[in-house]
Amino acid sequence: MKRYLLSLFNGTNRRKTLLLGCISTILISSALIMGKFDSYHERLLLFSGIVMSFFTLLHPWGNPANYARLVLISIVVLIIQYIFFIILVRMKLISTDLDEIPIAIALIFCIPGIFTGVTGILISSINGKKK
């Protein structure tokens, strides 16, 4: 893991990592500065920032199989979370007032992970065909 994190800042990846990191930071902070998340503009800014932060950490992969694993893991987490929440509500261990929590987790991690994985598969497949 340490070697992978250091590879983000080696000579070939440093510029791209810093550029993607700055873009994701700007998008997420501008969405948080705007505030309430009532309109689609703020939500789109936050979603784009989260996707860019995924790409900041995952851009050296380059292999479509790695991005496919990301999609699979995100879908599995989404399904397990949904089943777990339904079980807890049916057992009346938590109230339905907390139904925003699984939606927030899905919107912050799983949906951007799926989107990043699919986009990464497409981009790395196109780049692989060019070489």
Side-chain angles (χ1 to χ4, degrees):
M1 186 71 179
K2 181 180 178 182
R3 190 178 316 149
Y4 175 75
L5 290 176
L6 290 176
S7 74
L8 289 172
F9 295 101
N10 65 10
T12 57
N13 293 330
R14 181 181 312 130
R15 189 175 203 179
K16 194 172 190 179
T17 300
L18 292 174
L19 179 68
L20 291 172
C22 288
I23 291 171
S24 67
T25 303
I26 290 169
L27 289 172
I28 291 173
S29 27
S30 62
L32 294 175
I33 288 171
M34 284 183 170
K36 303 177 211 171
F37 299 108
D38 290 342
S39 70
Y40 292 109
H41 302 294
E42 290 102 8
R43 292 178 188 164
L44 184 63
L45 276 174
L46 183 65
F47 182 79
S48 301
I50 293 170
V51 168
M52 291 304 279
S53 62
F54 268 95
F55 276 124
T56 300
L57 296 174
L58 305 178
H59 72 86
W61 279 359
N63 187 0
N66 292 332
Y67 289 106
R69 286 187 201 110
L70 175 65
V71 171
L72 181 66
I73 289 170
S74 296
I75 290 173
V76 167
V77 167
L78 197 62
I79 291 170
I80 289 172
Q81 169 195 344
Y82 179 73
I83 291 171
F84 183 70
F85 185 73
I86 294 297
I87 289 172
L88 289 178
V89 169
R90 296 258 170 101
M91 292 175 62
K92 297 184 180 172
L93 295 176
I94 60 172
S95 67
T96 56
D97 297 336
L98 300 174
D99 61 347
E100 293 92 17
I101 294 172
I103 293 170
I105 292 171
L107 291 177
I108 291 175
F109 297 111
C110 297
I111 306 299
I114 293 169
F115 185 78
T116 304
V118 170
T119 307
I121 289 170
L122 294 174
I123 290 173
S124 59
S125 297
I126 290 170
N127 287 341
K129 288 180 183 178
K130 285 183 181 179
K131 293 180 181 178

